[in-house]
Amino acid sequence: MPRLDASGGTESKDSSRRLLDALRQPMTRFVLIFAVLLISLFVFYLLPWGERFMATPITSAVAVVSVSVMKWFDPTVASEGIAIFDSVTKQGITVVRGCNGMEAVIILFASVFAFPATFRQKCVGFIAGFFAIHALNIVRIVSLYYLARYSMTWFEWFHLYVWQMLIILDALVVWLLWLRWINKNKIKKHTQPSSNVISTTG
């Protein structure tokens, strides 16, 4: 009569238990949630709906705001859609999907909302980061516009290497500052003495 070996079932249970224990670890949960959010958002961003409702409006807004900033010191600058050009020479640049700062915004969103914090703290971190990234991105568009007018070599170098790195670095710095702010709030909350109010009647 054959004997049944129960060791396989025991090993399977141990493996499942170890997997569950790993999933309960904060770092593991952060990485998994971050990866799911990041992939999902980038897939949506690349789909036609993402193009219509996210990429196109934000890219147009970046072009409009950039031109508004430049008009303060350069009245010859003009725009048409996502094109920014000199109204006299007609030379200029086109703001495309990769220049709207949304890749960094998506990375920031995934890293903020994957981290264990309150919903209010997450919203504060993301909103602050959103404006910080786009503020730096406006500086990028303005600088690239003038670099394209005076040196295409410098334009290509800054466009492909320098500014791409700086925008992602901006998102990273915002996230690290947000983590520091959360940690300070936790320390303040734990060190704050509890006030016991004793009322006496006589």
Side-chain angles (χ1 to χ4, degrees):
M1 183 176 179
R3 295 181 180 178
L4 295 177
D5 187 4
S7 61
T10 304
E11 289 180 1
S12 178
K13 288 180 181 180
D14 290 340
S15 299
S16 300
R17 191 178 297 110
R18 283 195 297 268
L19 179 60
L20 289 173
D21 290 339
L23 290 175
R24 292 192 186 101
Q25 297 298 319
M27 181 58 69
T28 305
R29 290 181 61 189
F30 168 76
V31 171
L32 289 176
I33 296 173
F34 173 78
V36 170
L37 287 175
L38 190 69
I39 294 171
S40 301
L41 289 170
F42 268 115
V43 168
F44 174 77
Y45 184 63
L46 296 173
L47 290 174
W49 280 17
E51 175 73 27
R52 181 180 178 184
F53 295 108
M54 188 185 295
T56 300
I58 291 176
T59 304
S60 300
V62 168
V64 170
V65 174
S66 300
V67 170
S68 299
V69 170
M70 284 187 279
K71 279 185 177 293
W72 281 90
F73 54 87
D74 187 355
T76 64
V77 69
S79 66
E80 185 175 331
I82 58 175
I84 303 174
F85 56 91
D86 188 298
S87 59
V88 178
T89 64
K90 304 302 180 183
Q91 293 180 333
I93 62 173
T94 301
V95 183
V96 295
R97 182 197 290 262
C99 297
N100 58 14
M102 283 307 298
E103 290 83 0
V105 170
I106 289 174
I107 294 172
L108 177 69
F109 181 92
S111 59
V112 166
F113 280 87
F115 194 83
T118 65
F119 184 73
R120 176 182 171 277
Q121 289 173 332
K122 292 178 181 182
C123 289
V124 169
F126 175 68
I127 293 171
F130 181 89
F131 284 105
I133 290 170
H134 281 293
L136 185 62
N137 195 54
I138 297 301
V139 177
R140 167 167 75 166
I141 299 300
V142 173
S143 67
L144 290 177
Y145 170 75
Y146 289 105
L147 283 171
R149 289 176 59 180
Y150 298 110
S151 173
M152 287 304 298
T153 301
W154 282 104
F155 168 81
E156 292 293 340
W157 196 73
F158 271 83
H159 178 238
L160 296 176
Y161 304 108
V162 177
W163 275 117
Q164 295 285 3
M165 179 186 65
L166 288 178
I167 294 295
I168 299 299
L169 185 62
D170 185 22
L172 176 61
V173 169
V174 169
W175 185 65
L176 292 175
L177 290 174
W178 176 73
L179 291 180
R180 185 179 180 185
W181 173 67
I182 289 177
N183 190 47
K184 280 187 175 181
N185 284 348
K186 283 184 179 179
I187 294 174
K188 189 183 297 184
K189 185 176 180 181
H190 288 302
T191 56
Q192 188 174 11
S194 58
S195 58
N196 296 323
V197 178
I198 304 174
S199 60
T200 59
T201 58

